[in-house]
Amino acid sequence: MLGLPQSTEFNKRIPKQKFYENITVTPAMRRVFVEQIRTIYWKNKVAPTTVNIAAGQTVTEVEFFEIKLTKTPLDESVLRQIDKEIPYHIIFLLEYEGKYQAWTAYKEATASGTNAFKVGNYYHTDWLPEEELPLKLDGLNIDKVYENFVRQIAGNKLQTETTDETLAETVARDEKRKALEKQITALQEKIRKEKQLNRQIEINMELKRMKKELESVQ
């Protein structure tokens, strides 16, 4: 799949019940698994043991999960649930009517020393034929391979003008940009509704400050 080396192929079907029968999930989450997902396959494992790359410091292996859907869009909370249950970095390949989307979230281990992970915002491609997905195994170690997979899926959202910026720094900058854009939209709506001129001026000053801050993180 995706032109990955044959040595990375795993091709194991995972019963979707595994992700909701033995843990506490909401009835809504269970319905999503039952109604939106047809099958889940563990398609590939990219690791120093399956392909000629060096070990990393933060990533041990990258799993590729193919999720065949009965309808779209898939509720993002399902991917987050799977990510929380599996202590490895995952690339999700959603399939619907012959087209694919690649999804992933920046995922890093917590400082607790356990297998717990912090799962960030999700990024995804457009719906594309499998052979057109922008995924290429690129990097000398597994950390860099994972970073490149995330950047390839995110596209312009995680572009950086400097090679010194780590993936964690790029993701943090993108999350700050999204938060500022949300705050700016809220302030613009506040100005529109505000009747008092002095409050409009105050809000507008704050709006200008946030727009300037947004420019600095672009």
Side-chain angles (χ1 to χ4, degrees):
M1 191 172 203
L2 302 172
L4 293 172
Q6 190 174 359
S7 57
T8 69
E9 291 180 5
F10 204 64
N11 292 325
K12 179 181 178 181
R13 182 169 178 173
I14 304 176
K16 58 186 180 181
Q17 296 90 332
K18 180 181 178 69
F19 296 107
Y20 63 80
E21 281 190 345
N22 298 321
I23 55 176
T24 302
V25 298
T26 65
M29 173 79 73
R30 184 185 293 261
R31 275 197 305 274
V32 172
F33 272 101
V34 172
E35 296 175 4
Q36 295 189 23
I37 294 176
R38 180 174 288 115
T39 55
I40 301 175
Y41 280 91
W42 187 349
K43 298 294 288 186
N44 298 78
K45 177 169 77 172
V46 175
T49 56
T50 63
V51 70
N52 187 26
I53 52 176
Q57 294 184 337
T58 59
V59 181
T60 56
E61 53 191 65
V62 182
E63 321 299 346
F64 283 76
F65 281 17
E66 181 186 48
I67 302 178
K68 293 184 177 292
L69 305 179
T70 58
K71 59 181 178 179
T72 61
L74 178 66
D75 191 322
E76 186 180 298
S77 63
V78 168
L79 302 184
R80 192 168 297 278
Q81 182 65 40
I82 295 173
D83 253 327
K84 287 179 179 178
E85 291 300 307
I86 296 178
Y88 297 109
H89 295 79
I90 304 174
I91 306 297
F92 295 100
L93 304 169
L94 307 187
E95 186 276 336
Y96 182 69
E97 295 186 344
K99 294 289 184 70
Y100 285 83
Q101 273 189 332
W103 283 68
T104 195
Y106 177 64
K107 188 173 177 179
E108 59 183 349
T110 63
S112 64
T114 66
N115 281 333
F117 276 85
K118 176 187 174 185
V119 182
N121 293 329
Y122 279 90
Y123 300 96
H124 64 84
T125 66
D126 293 331
W127 286 103
L128 299 165
E130 180 196 323
E131 63 274 12
E132 293 181 17
L133 288 172
L135 290 171
K136 180 183 176 185
L137 202 162
D138 182 23
L140 298 178
N141 62 57
I142 190 65
D143 289 352
K144 197 64 180 177
V145 166
Y146 171 67
E147 175 180 331
N148 287 330
F149 280 142
V150 175
R151 290 190 187 278
Q152 289 163 11
I153 290 171
N156 294 336
K157 293 175 183 175
L158 292 184
Q159 279 191 346
T160 176
E161 295 180 359
T162 171
T163 56
D164 296 331
E165 188 174 72
T166 66
L167 177 59
E169 290 169 340
T170 308
V171 169
R173 182 164 55 82
D174 182 56
E175 289 177 349
K176 185 175 182 180
R177 177 185 59 79
K178 288 176 180 175
L180 284 168
E181 287 175 342
K182 188 175 181 179
Q183 289 173 304
I184 286 169
T185 299
L187 285 176
Q188 288 171 333
E189 182 65 13
K190 225 175 180 181
I191 290 175
R192 189 181 68 80
K193 292 181 177 179
E194 182 58 57
K195 300 291 190 262
Q196 296 183 23
L197 180 59
N198 62 332
R199 280 292 296 143
Q200 286 180 346
I201 293 171
E202 288 175 8
I203 297 169
N204 195 50
M205 287 176 64
E206 177 67 7
L207 181 61
K208 286 181 179 179
R209 185 189 67 78
M210 285 195 174
K211 283 183 176 180
K212 189 172 182 180
E213 189 176 355
L214 179 61
E215 288 177 6
S216 70
V217 298
Q218 296 284 24

